[in-house]
Amino acid sequence: MKNILILPGDYIGPEVMAEAVKVLEVFKAEGEPIAWSFGHLGGAAYEAEGHPYPPSTQQAARAADAILMGAVGGPKYDGLPRAVRPEQGILGIRKDLGLFANLRPALAYEALAAASPLKPELIAGLDVLIVRELTGDIYFGQPRGRRKTADGHDEGYDTMHYSVPEIERIAHVAFQAARKRRRRLCSVDKENVLETSRLWREVMIRVGRDYPDVELTHLYVDNAAMQLIKNPRQFDVIVTGNLFGDILSDEASQLAGSIGMLPSASLDANNKGLYEPIHGSAPDIAGQNKANPLAMILSVGMMFKYSFGRTDLADRIDAAVRKVLQDGKRTGDIAQPGEPVIGTQEMGAAVVDALRTSK
Ligand code: IPM
Ligand code: MG
């Protein structure tokens, strides 16, 4: 039996998660050995237990075989001290479970070509995988904080660093992913300015010698941001650090048409993972049955593929999503002007229908 911990989170988190649970129910009814339980993370956890990643969630997360997460954060919690803000829940669970490898695939769905702000001919057939290091970099670097400058001004500071083993392990994940795809890996850094990036690039080149069948290239992050918009199909796999990956993966979501379409996997060294859409908690549309649940549902697919070795079920989820898109089902974020819009629950139900008939 595979035990899944479900952390719905804040605002639209519980809404999109409810649709993901319907997908789990389909597979359970087919006899798949899965079970799930619920926990708190983020603002919801702060409200229920006084901490964004409380001990009860820690215990359940460590024991689970995989974790599904909705989204956390929002204006209700903006005034809280940083240590108990919802973001610390997600950062805390990533660090606690050692989820260092974040996989963020961006696919251009044919049916959504018109939803991307880029010209359809630029994105047709696009299939990029961003591999983002997730437990290091300036996100977690010490020291950080506030201090006084010599001339008495308040100053905020953070520390960017990566050690060789941290770079090596994410490099291996990226090279291996490239090997299963089109064998091209682009490492993104800021080697012309940052010491951290100089080491990053050296280690990438060294690890690359173990993968002579994968073509390794390098881009500075500013150029990579431009190339993603200018000619996104040049990329197969991109590997980068935590901060650059955060930024580039949001950018890549627009290639796919909407940030509501992008799932992600955050894996430890043994492929235990946390699966979440890359979008946030969207307070502006929360509670209105408007959110797109497809990124959350596709995250369930990634869970079956990466943590449970069930590519067959992941493929069925992907196919069901393609089918509902081809059938013209659209939530507001992916609809063209004049196209009929359906709600979160209707989109979830459409995927469930497509899944049931695909067995
Ligand atoms: C993401 C988010 C998080 C991050 C926030 C919520 C801390 O933007 O998963 O990309 O910066 O990693
Ligand atoms: Mg982000």
Side-chain angles (χ1 to χ4, degrees):
M1 183 65 72
K2 297 290 187 192
N3 289 304
I4 304 163
L5 175 65
I6 296 186
L7 305 170
D10 307 321
Y11 293 95
I12 63 163
E15 291 175 64
V16 294
M17 189 62 82
E19 306 313 307
V21 170
K22 290 182 193 164
V23 168
L24 295 178
E25 280 164 354
V26 171
F27 291 133
K28 192 169 181 70
E30 289 179 5
E32 291 301 332
I34 51 173
W36 55 90
S37 57
F38 291 85
H40 298 298
L41 191 80
Y46 176 77
E47 277 172 18
E49 305 181 47
H51 193 278
Y53 182 40
S56 64
T57 304
Q58 248 173 66
Q59 236 174 16
R62 288 175 190 171
D65 296 301
I67 299 153
L68 291 174
M69 203 205 87
V72 300
K76 238 199 293 185
Y77 313 106
D78 282 351
L80 294 174
R82 202 177 63 86
V84 292
R85 280 186 54 149
E87 290 78 4
Q88 295 306 311
I90 179 65
L91 296 175
I93 193 171
R94 287 171 181 169
K95 192 75 177 170
D96 183 41
L97 301 181
L99 307 173
F100 69 92
N102 186 213
L103 310 184
R104 299 189 160 186
L107 281 186
Y109 290 90
E110 217 180 298
L112 292 185
S116 172
L118 266 69
K119 296 191 194 100
E121 62 268 28
L122 276 182
I123 55 156
L126 172 95
D127 177 359
V128 185
L129 174 66
I130 298 186
V131 177
R132 169 189 176 195
E133 199 290 331
L134 203 59
T135 51
D137 203 354
I138 197 164
Y139 266 58
F140 293 95
Q142 294 292 342
R144 63 191 291 159
R146 293 287 183 93
R147 61 190 169 199
K148 289 269 185 216
T149 60
D151 55 355
H153 294 294
D154 286 328
E155 174 176 77
Y157 64 102
D158 297 274
T159 306
M160 177 179 271
H161 61 77
Y162 267 123
S163 68
V164 169
E166 282 178 306
I167 305 169
E168 281 174 349
R169 63 182 185 174
I170 196 69
H172 283 291
V173 169
F175 276 106
Q176 276 160 30
R179 213 167 231 182
K180 292 195 195 124
R181 296 167 48 101
R182 301 191 301 280
R183 296 174 184 259
R184 284 192 290 121
L185 178 62
C186 179
S187 170
V188 171
D189 60 36
K190 189 70 187 171
E191 192 248 8
N192 50 344
V193 177
L194 301 173
E195 286 301 324
T196 312
S197 285
R198 288 185 55 186
L199 182 67
W200 175 279
R201 193 176 283 212
E202 274 168 41
V203 174
M204 284 291 156
I205 291 170
R206 196 182 329 129
V207 173
R209 295 198 188 111
D210 295 346
Y211 301 86
D213 51 320
V214 176
E215 181 201 13
L216 174 66
T217 56
H218 308 271
L219 281 181
Y220 298 142
V221 62
D222 50 350
N223 190 10
M226 180 174 73
Q227 297 296 333
L228 261 177
I229 297 295
K230 198 176 160 198
N231 177 17
R233 277 180 310 198
Q234 70 185 281
F235 296 109
D236 177 16
V237 180
I238 291 175
V239 62
T240 190
N242 205 345
L243 180 63
F244 299 156
D246 179 45
I247 299 164
L248 293 180
S249 59
D250 267 32
E251 187 187 2
S253 73
Q254 290 309 298
L255 308 173
S258 165
I259 199 164
M261 294 298 304
L262 258 69
S264 78
S266 306
L267 306 175
D268 75 1
N270 304 308
N271 288 330
K272 172 170 170 170
L274 179 148
Y275 299 84
E276 54 171 321
I278 86 155
H279 62 67
S281 62
D284 54 321
I285 56 165
Q288 301 167 46
N289 193 37
K290 280 187 179 166
N292 182 350
L294 293 179
M296 187 72 241
I297 289 171
L298 290 165
S299 300
V300 174
M302 289 191 88
M303 172 184 78
F304 280 115
K305 177 170 170 179
Y306 288 99
S307 284
F308 301 163
R310 293 297 303 275
T311 309
D312 56 325
L313 300 184
D315 288 348
R316 279 178 63 197
I317 292 177
D318 289 350
V321 168
R322 274 177 210 282
K323 174 159 196 311
V324 302
L325 294 175
Q326 260 145 28
D327 290 349
K329 304 276 195 268
R330 299 284 186 271
T331 42
D333 58 313
I334 51 177
Q336 291 305 295
E339 266 181 343
V341 167
I342 59 173
T344 311
Q345 292 166 21
E346 293 68 33
M347 186 61 107
V351 173
V352 162
D353 279 345
L355 270 179
R356 286 214 179 96
T357 52
S358 73
K359 180 148 199 259

Short mmCIF file of all heavy atoms in Angstrom, two decimals, residues 77-99:
data_model
loop_
_atom_site.label_atom_id
_atom_site.label_comp_id
_atom_site.label_asym_id
_atom_site.label_seq_id
_atom_site.Cartn_x
_atom_site.Cartn_y
_atom_site.Cartn_z
N TYR A 77 -1.79 36.29 5.53
CA TYR A 77 -0.64 35.93 6.35
C TYR A 77 0.55 36.86 6.14
O TYR A 77 1.61 36.66 6.71
CB TYR A 77 -0.22 34.49 6.04
CG TYR A 77 -1.38 33.54 6.03
CD1 TYR A 77 -1.88 33.03 4.83
CD2 TYR A 77 -2.01 33.17 7.22
CE1 TYR A 77 -2.96 32.17 4.82
CE2 TYR A 77 -3.10 32.31 7.22
CZ TYR A 77 -3.58 31.82 6.00
OH TYR A 77 -4.63 30.98 6.00
N ASP A 78 0.36 37.90 5.31
CA ASP A 78 1.49 38.75 4.95
C ASP A 78 2.08 39.50 6.14
O ASP A 78 3.27 39.83 6.14
CB ASP A 78 1.08 39.77 3.86
CG ASP A 78 1.04 39.13 2.48
OD1 ASP A 78 1.48 37.97 2.37
OD2 ASP A 78 0.52 39.77 1.55
N GLY A 79 1.26 39.75 7.15
CA GLY A 79 1.76 40.52 8.30
C GLY A 79 2.48 39.68 9.33
O GLY A 79 3.05 40.23 10.29
N LEU A 80 2.51 38.36 9.15
CA LEU A 80 3.14 37.50 10.17
C LEU A 80 4.66 37.63 10.13
O LEU A 80 5.23 37.94 9.09
CB LEU A 80 2.78 36.02 9.89
CG LEU A 80 1.33 35.62 10.05
CD1 LEU A 80 1.13 34.18 9.60
CD2 LEU A 80 0.90 35.76 11.51
N PRO A 81 5.31 37.37 11.28
CA PRO A 81 6.78 37.35 11.27
C PRO A 81 7.27 36.30 10.28
O PRO A 81 6.63 35.27 10.10
CB PRO A 81 7.15 36.94 12.70
CG PRO A 81 5.89 36.98 13.51
CD PRO A 81 4.73 37.06 12.59
N ARG A 82 8.44 36.56 9.65
CA ARG A 82 8.90 35.70 8.57
C ARG A 82 8.97 34.22 8.97
O ARG A 82 8.65 33.34 8.18
CB ARG A 82 10.27 36.15 8.06
CG ARG A 82 10.56 35.66 6.65
CD ARG A 82 11.89 36.19 6.15
NE ARG A 82 13.00 35.70 6.95
CZ ARG A 82 13.63 34.55 6.76
NH1 ARG A 82 13.29 33.78 5.76
NH2 ARG A 82 14.60 34.18 7.54
N ALA A 83 9.35 33.96 10.22
CA ALA A 83 9.54 32.57 10.66
C ALA A 83 8.26 31.74 10.61
O ALA A 83 8.32 30.51 10.53
CB ALA A 83 10.12 32.54 12.07
N VAL A 84 7.11 32.38 10.68
CA VAL A 84 5.87 31.61 10.65
C VAL A 84 5.02 31.93 9.41
O VAL A 84 3.84 31.56 9.34
CB VAL A 84 5.02 31.79 11.94
CG1 VAL A 84 5.73 31.15 13.12
CG2 VAL A 84 4.71 33.26 12.21
N ARG A 85 5.61 32.59 8.44
CA ARG A 85 4.87 32.83 7.20
C ARG A 85 4.70 31.52 6.43
O ARG A 85 5.52 30.62 6.53
CB ARG A 85 5.59 33.87 6.34
CG ARG A 85 5.32 35.29 6.83
CD ARG A 85 5.90 36.29 5.90
NE ARG A 85 5.46 36.08 4.52
CZ ARG A 85 5.31 37.05 3.64
NH1 ARG A 85 5.57 38.30 3.99
NH2 ARG A 85 4.93 36.80 2.42
N PRO A 86 3.61 31.41 5.65
CA PRO A 86 3.33 30.15 4.94
C PRO A 86 4.48 29.65 4.08
O PRO A 86 4.72 28.45 3.98
CB PRO A 86 2.14 30.52 4.05
CG PRO A 86 1.52 31.72 4.68
CD PRO A 86 2.58 32.42 5.45
N GLU A 87 5.23 30.58 3.46
CA GLU A 87 6.37 30.17 2.60
C GLU A 87 7.36 29.33 3.39
O GLU A 87 8.03 28.45 2.85
CB GLU A 87 7.10 31.41 2.05
CG GLU A 87 6.32 32.21 1.00
CD GLU A 87 5.24 33.11 1.60
OE1 GLU A 87 5.13 33.19 2.84
OE2 GLU A 87 4.51 33.73 0.80
N GLN A 88 7.47 29.61 4.70
CA GLN A 88 8.39 28.83 5.52
C GLN A 88 7.91 27.40 5.66
O GLN A 88 8.69 26.49 5.94
CB GLN A 88 8.59 29.47 6.90
CG GLN A 88 9.26 30.84 6.85
CD GLN A 88 10.58 30.79 6.09
OE1 GLN A 88 11.43 29.94 6.34
NE2 GLN A 88 10.75 31.71 5.15
N GLY A 89 6.61 27.18 5.47
CA GLY A 89 6.07 25.82 5.48
C GLY A 89 6.61 25.03 4.30
O GLY A 89 7.16 23.93 4.46
N ILE A 90 6.53 25.60 3.12
CA ILE A 90 6.98 24.87 1.93
C ILE A 90 8.51 24.77 1.91
O ILE A 90 9.07 23.72 1.60
CB ILE A 90 6.38 25.47 0.63
CG1 ILE A 90 6.86 24.72 -0.60
CG2 ILE A 90 6.66 26.94 0.44
CD1 ILE A 90 6.40 23.32 -0.66
N LEU A 91 9.17 25.85 2.29
CA LEU A 91 10.64 25.77 2.33
C LEU A 91 11.09 24.77 3.39
O LEU A 91 12.03 24.00 3.19
CB LEU A 91 11.25 27.16 2.61
CG LEU A 91 10.99 28.22 1.53
CD1 LEU A 91 11.53 29.58 1.98
CD2 LEU A 91 11.60 27.83 0.19
N GLY A 92 10.36 24.76 4.51
CA GLY A 92 10.69 23.85 5.63
C GLY A 92 10.53 22.39 5.25
O GLY A 92 11.41 21.56 5.54
N ILE A 93 9.45 22.07 4.57
CA ILE A 93 9.24 20.65 4.22
C ILE A 93 10.23 20.20 3.15
O ILE A 93 10.74 19.08 3.19
CB ILE A 93 7.76 20.38 3.82
CG1 ILE A 93 7.47 18.89 3.78
CG2 ILE A 93 7.40 21.00 2.49
CD1 ILE A 93 5.99 18.54 3.61
N ARG A 94 10.56 21.09 2.21
CA ARG A 94 11.56 20.73 1.19
C ARG A 94 12.90 20.40 1.86
O ARG A 94 13.54 19.41 1.55
CB ARG A 94 11.77 21.90 0.22
CG ARG A 94 10.62 22.12 -0.76
CD ARG A 94 10.82 23.42 -1.54
NE ARG A 94 9.71 23.68 -2.46
CZ ARG A 94 9.52 24.83 -3.11
NH1 ARG A 94 10.36 25.83 -2.92
NH2 ARG A 94 8.51 24.97 -3.93
N LYS A 95 13.30 21.27 2.79
CA LYS A 95 14.59 21.09 3.45
C LYS A 95 14.56 19.85 4.35
O LYS A 95 15.48 19.04 4.34
CB LYS A 95 14.90 22.35 4.26
CG LYS A 95 16.31 22.43 4.76
CD LYS A 95 17.27 22.80 3.64
CE LYS A 95 18.69 22.97 4.15
NZ LYS A 95 19.63 23.08 3.03
N ASP A 96 13.49 19.73 5.14
CA ASP A 96 13.39 18.63 6.11
C ASP A 96 13.47 17.27 5.41
O ASP A 96 14.11 16.35 5.91
CB ASP A 96 12.07 18.76 6.89
CG ASP A 96 11.93 17.69 7.96
OD1 ASP A 96 12.94 17.41 8.64
OD2 ASP A 96 10.82 17.13 8.11
N LEU A 97 12.81 17.15 4.27
CA LEU A 97 12.77 15.86 3.58
C LEU A 97 13.90 15.71 2.55
O LEU A 97 13.99 14.70 1.87
CB LEU A 97 11.41 15.65 2.91
CG LEU A 97 10.19 15.67 3.83
CD1 LEU A 97 8.92 15.43 3.04
CD2 LEU A 97 10.29 14.65 4.96
N GLY A 98 14.74 16.73 2.45
CA GLY A 98 15.86 16.63 1.50
C GLY A 98 15.41 16.56 0.04
O GLY A 98 16.00 15.86 -0.78
N LEU A 99 14.36 17.31 -0.27
CA LEU A 99 13.80 17.27 -1.64
C LEU A 99 14.59 18.23 -2.53
O LEU A 99 14.14 19.32 -2.85
CB LEU A 99 12.32 17.67 -1.59
CG LEU A 99 11.47 16.86 -0.59
CD1 LEU A 99 10.07 17.44 -0.49
CD2 LEU A 99 11.41 15.39 -1.01
#
